Every structure is written in C-alpha cells, then in structure tokens.
Amino acid sequence: MRTRAIALAAAMAMLTPVIGAAHDAGDFYMRFGFTNVNPDDPNGDIDLTAIDPALGRPDIEVDDAWSFTFTGSYHYSANWAVELLAANPFEHDIELDGVGKVGKTKHLPPTLSLQYHFLPDATFQPYVGAGVNYTIFFDDEADGVLEGALGGDLSIEDNSFGWAAQVGADWMLGERWVLNA
C-alpha cells in the first residue's frame, strides 16, 4: 500500500506545472538523441536457385540498428506541433535463413510528423505523433554467398515512402532542458 501511495504522489508531482517550461504557440526546439530502426519482419524471401539449387528460397532477415538522430519541432499551438527528424545513417546487416550474412545497407529516414501533446503545461508531457517518412538506401554491399555471385555489388533500388507513428513524453527539467523518451 505504501508503494502505491508513493507512486501516486510521484505521478501527481510529474503533472504539476513548471513555470516557464510549457510549450506555447510559436515555440521551436531541437532534440538530440538516439533512435532505433527495426525493419518489418518477415521481409520476404529470395530465389537463390540460380546461384545454387540447394539454397532454395530462404527468408530475408534485416537486423535493427541504432543511430544518432536530431529533430526540429515547431508548436503552432500549445497542443499541436510538427516535427522533422534527421539522422546519421543507419546500417543494417542482411541475412538469409540457413545461409547467414549476405550483405549490408545504409539508409537515411527523414520523417515529418504531426504531434499532439496532451498536457502542454505539465512537467511530464506525453504525446503521440503520426507522419510520413522517405527512406533513402545507399552503400549496399554483398557478402558471403552473394558476394561471389554478384561481384560484391548488392543493389537496393527501392527508396520508399512509409507511414510513421510515435508515442513519447517530455520530462521538463527546467526552462530550457527536456528529457525525452
């Protein structure tokens, strides 16, 4: 019971407004941090019978990756903001089931999102966002069984648009500093 009371008091303290730390219309701010990109699974399969009939059609697996990211956000009202995410390139290994690593690629995912901030005057400010991203692939390389077959050149030609969703929160540490997750 005591733990619940402490948790409730802490939750109420997080919702207490901090003077000068609210997001207001016209505010622009930058965030710096790290972001994880975890590609969809399953990613399909690939027909390798032309290289070696014994390889068949293994499933493609792409690992997740972390990279340094930065965002610029503009609040056009206390609750609504638009955010643009930019990043250092993300690098992913590409593996085939039963075959192992066959390549790698890098990509940039600039993302434009519209956010709704539920409690713009509170110390703890949860938000949700939705938007669109354009993924740009480059520096594709073949490894392993594909390196010999493709001469080291792996080409991912499909830069793509996709939907983006976010759930986050700002913890106001003062007038100019925010911890974000």
Side-chain angles (χ1 to χ4, degrees):
M1 183 68 165
R2 183 169 185 224
T3 305
R4 286 186 188 167
I6 292 171
L8 180 60
M12 291 180 68
M14 288 188 285
L15 299 177
T16 304
V18 175
I19 296 172
H23 293 310
D24 292 319
D27 284 354
F28 177 80
Y29 52 94
M30 302 283 296
R31 289 187 180 115
F32 304 92
F34 292 89
T35 300
N36 180 267
V37 172
N38 193 348
D40 282 341
D41 190 28
N43 291 293
D45 61 21
I46 186 169
D47 185 1
L48 296 178
T49 54
I51 296 170
D52 182 346
L55 294 174
R57 297 182 68 90
D59 288 332
I60 301 168
E61 296 178 11
V62 181
D63 71 348
D64 67 326
W66 287 88
S67 186
F68 176 74
T69 56
F70 45 98
T71 62
S73 295
Y74 176 76
H75 270 264
Y76 57 89
S77 77
N79 295 96
W80 291 98
V82 63
E83 175 186 82
L84 179 63
L85 175 136
N88 274 347
F90 290 84
E91 184 172 324
H92 299 275
D93 287 339
I94 302 167
E95 298 182 2
L96 299 179
D97 269 351
V99 176
K101 183 177 173 185
V102 294
K104 65 182 178 181
T105 188
K106 292 182 181 178
H107 76 87
L108 289 171
T111 305
L112 184 65
S113 299
L114 179 64
Q115 297 175 332
Y116 182 79
H117 294 252
F118 295 98
L119 304 168
D121 296 324
T123 300
F124 180 74
Q125 301 178 6
Y127 63 88
V128 294
V132 65
N133 119 297
Y134 184 70
T135 302
I136 305 160
F137 291 96
F138 60 97
D139 283 350
D140 310 321
E141 294 179 18
D143 284 334
V145 70
L146 290 184
E147 186 172 16
L150 300 175
D153 185 30
L154 176 67
S155 180
I156 299 175
E157 298 178 6
D158 291 337
N159 295 338
S160 64
F161 282 98
W163 296 109
Q166 59 182 193
V167 175
D170 290 331
W171 182 293
M172 307 308 285
L173 301 176
E175 191 171 322
R176 296 192 177 268
W177 291 97
V178 174
L179 181 63
N180 174 263

